[in-house]
Amino acid sequence: MKYLISRGFHMNSFTYKTLYTILMFVITVTAVNDVLASIRLKEFARVEGVRDNALVGYGLVAGLAGTGDTRRSDATIQSIANILARFNVIVDEEEISSRNVAAVIVTATLPAFYQPGDKIDINIASVGDARSLIGGTLLMTPLTAANGEIYALAQGPISVGGYSYGLNGNIIQKNHPTVGVITNGATVEKAVNTQLIEEGTLSVVLSEPDFTTAARVKKAIQSVFPSLNVSTQHAGKILIDVPSKIDVIDLIADIENIKIKPDNIAKIIINERTGTVVSGGSVVIDAVSISHGNLELNITTDYAVSQPNIFAIELNKSQITDENGQGISTAVVPQTNLSVKEQSLAAVSLPSGSTVNDLVRALKQIHVSTRDMIAILQAIKSAGALHAKLIIN
C-alpha cells in the first residue's frame, strides 16, 4: 500500500513537473516569437518634417554621335543658341543643324539634412526626338524645387544602361537608350530647412496608418518614457510633448529604436501586366468551391491570290467585265478558318480556414496558369470568401 501511495505520488509529481515544463516552454517560445516579430519603430514610421524633396531641371546633353535631336525640335535649336550666347557666341538659329545635342529633363531627390557640397544622384530623360544619349555629357543644369529656388547644380558624363544601333532601316536596341543616370552628378548648393519640433510637439508619422499600430506605439513610448505626455492625433500620427530641457536628437534616437509589433492588414498584390501574385501565407479563405475551364478560340486567315487567265487578256474588255464595268484584274481572296476548343472543367474545393497558400497549391495541381489564378482570386473576392485587401496594379 505504501508502495502504491509512494508510486502514485511519484507519478503525480512527475506529471506536474512535465506540465510545468511544457507550459514554460510554450510561454518562452511565444515570447521569443513576439520578440522576433517586433521591429524597430524607424522601420515603419518617421518623424514629421523629415522628408525627401523633389528637384527638376531642363538642360542639354552634348557630345552625341549624330543621335541627338533633329531640326524638328525647335526647343533644342533655341536652347543651343541661348547657351552659345552666354559665351558671347552669337549664332542664328537657322544656321544650327547639329545632331550632337539633345534636350533633356533632369530629376533628382534631395534628402533631408543634406548640406551644401554633398553629392546626389540624378536621372536624365530625353524630351526631344534623340535616338540615344550614349556618350553624351550633361552641361551645367540648375535643379529647382517646387518653390522655384535652386538647390543643386548637375553636370557630368551620362551612364546609359542600353544601346541602339541601326543601318539601312535595321535597328538593334537594348533597354531605353534615351534615359540615363549620373551617380553623384549633382552638387547641393542650398540646404532644406527641416523643422523637427513644432510648438513643443514631436510628431511621429506611421508609413501605413492603422489604429491598432498607433495604439501600440503610444503605449510603447509611454512605457519607455513615462514622464512624457504621449497622445494620438489619428491612426497615422502620434504626438509627443517635448520639454525644452530634453535633447531632441537623443530623444528621437531612443524612440526610433523601440521595438514594436505592427498590426498588418492582410493584402494580396496582383500585377496583371506581369502575372505576379504576392500575398501573405496567413490570408484566410472561407469554404469555397471553384470550377474553372478555358474556352480557346483560334482564328486564322490565309490570303490567296487569284490571277486572271492569260488567254482572256486578248479578249475585248467590253465582253468580260464585272458588275461595276471593270475589266479582268488580279484579286486577293481571304480564306478564314475558325476553331473552338473547350477544356473540361476542373473543380477545387477548400474547407473554411484555408489560406492562399493552400489555394495556390490546389490550383497548381490542376495546372492553372498564373493569369487564370488572378481571375480566380478576383472571383473569390467578389464572392466574399477572401478576407484580404485585393490590390490590382
Side-chain angles (χ1 to χ4, degrees):
M1 185 67 179
K2 291 181 179 181
Y3 173 75
L4 293 176
I5 294 174
S6 175
R7 181 178 176 84
F9 177 78
H10 176 71
M11 290 296 294
N12 291 336
S13 177
F14 175 78
T15 303
Y16 173 76
K17 291 180 180 179
T18 303
L19 292 175
Y20 177 78
T21 303
I22 294 174
L23 180 61
M24 293 302 297
F25 176 77
V26 171
I27 294 175
T28 302
V29 171
T30 303
V32 171
N33 289 335
D34 290 339
V35 172
L36 293 178
S38 300
I39 59 178
R40 294 182 302 174
L41 181 60
K42 68 189 304 181
E43 308 296 344
F44 60 92
R46 63 177 179 86
V47 175
E48 188 175 37
V50 180
R51 56 183 296 272
D52 295 336
N53 299 273
L55 304 179
V56 66
Y58 172 84
L60 293 177
V61 172
L64 304 177
T67 60
D69 294 339
T70 63
R71 285 198 56 85
R72 293 192 299 269
S73 299
D74 294 336
T76 305
I77 301 300
Q78 183 179 354
S79 299
I80 296 175
N82 292 341
I83 198 170
L84 291 177
R86 292 172 55 187
F87 295 96
N88 297 324
V89 178
I90 308 302
V91 179
D92 189 82
E93 294 182 6
E94 299 296 331
E95 301 176 359
I96 300 175
S97 61
S98 174
R99 290 209 61 183
N100 295 342
V101 181
V104 294
I105 288 293
V106 184
T107 59
T109 300
L110 178 60
F113 308 119
Y114 267 48
Q115 299 300 309
D118 291 339
K119 301 288 187 178
I120 57 177
D121 301 337
I122 59 175
N123 299 311
I124 301 167
S126 172
V127 295
D129 56 356
R131 295 197 305 267
S132 175
L133 298 180
I134 295 177
T137 299
L138 176 69
L139 304 183
M140 183 181 294
T141 303
L143 303 180
T144 60
N147 57 6
E149 297 184 11
I150 298 175
Y151 284 87
L153 293 178
Q155 181 176 277
I158 302 175
S159 175
V160 179
Y163 57 80
S164 178
Y165 301 102
L167 182 65
N168 297 328
N170 300 315
I171 298 177
I172 299 177
Q173 179 173 322
K174 178 181 179 182
N175 297 334
H176 297 279
T178 54
V179 295
V181 298
I182 303 180
T183 304
N184 293 332
T187 303
V188 178
E189 299 294 336
K190 182 179 179 181
V192 178
N193 184 22
T194 302
Q195 189 74 20
L196 298 177
I197 303 295
E198 185 175 353
E199 297 181 356
T201 301
L202 175 69
S203 300
V204 177
V205 181
L206 301 181
S207 57
E208 293 187 6
D210 182 82
F211 289 103
T212 304
T213 304
R216 292 178 182 176
V217 172
K218 172 187 173 183
K219 293 179 181 179
I221 296 176
Q222 286 178 335
S223 63
V224 177
F225 302 97
S227 60
L228 297 181
N229 181 24
V230 184
S231 61
T232 53
Q233 182 175 353
H234 50 70
K237 182 184 288 188
I238 297 91
L239 305 179
I240 306 171
D241 293 337
V242 180
S244 58
K245 61 181 180 180
I246 293 182
D247 187 284
V248 177
I249 302 301
D250 291 340
L251 177 62
I252 294 176
D254 293 335
I255 290 176
E256 68 179 6
N257 283 285
I258 298 176
K259 289 190 175 182
I260 302 168
K261 182 180 179 181
D263 188 61
N264 296 322
I265 300 176
K267 296 180 181 178
I268 298 178
I269 312 299
I270 294 176
N271 191 320
E272 288 187 315
R273 296 187 299 273
T274 61
T276 304
V277 180
V278 179
S279 68
S282 59
V283 177
V284 179
I285 300 175
D286 285 342
V288 64
S289 179
I290 303 168
S291 297
H292 182 72
N294 287 329
L295 180 65
E296 183 178 348
L297 174 63
N298 293 323
I299 302 176
T300 59
T301 301
D302 296 328
Y303 294 93
V305 179
S306 177
Q307 296 284 359
N309 191 340
I310 59 174
F311 298 102
I313 299 178
E314 303 299 331
L315 299 178
N316 191 340
K317 292 185 178 180
S318 62
Q319 297 176 354
I320 305 176
T321 58
D322 57 14
E323 58 183 3
N324 296 322
Q326 300 296 329
I328 300 175
S329 62
T330 301
V332 178
V333 181
Q335 297 177 352
T336 303
N337 299 320
L338 288 83
S339 62
V340 179
K341 181 180 179 182
E342 185 175 5
Q343 298 180 358
S344 58
L345 289 177
V348 172
S349 296
L350 294 175
S352 179
S354 300
T355 64
V356 172
N357 283 343
D358 299 331
L359 174 63
V360 171
R361 284 196 297 266
L363 293 178
K364 285 184 177 180
Q365 292 178 358
I366 60 174
H367 307 289
V368 174
S369 65
T370 304
R371 297 192 181 276
D372 290 337
M373 195 178 302
I374 292 174
I376 292 173
L377 287 172
Q378 291 174 334
I380 295 175
K381 179 65 176 179
S382 299
L386 180 60
H387 301 290
K389 186 177 181 180
L390 200 61
I391 300 177
I392 302 176
N393 297 326

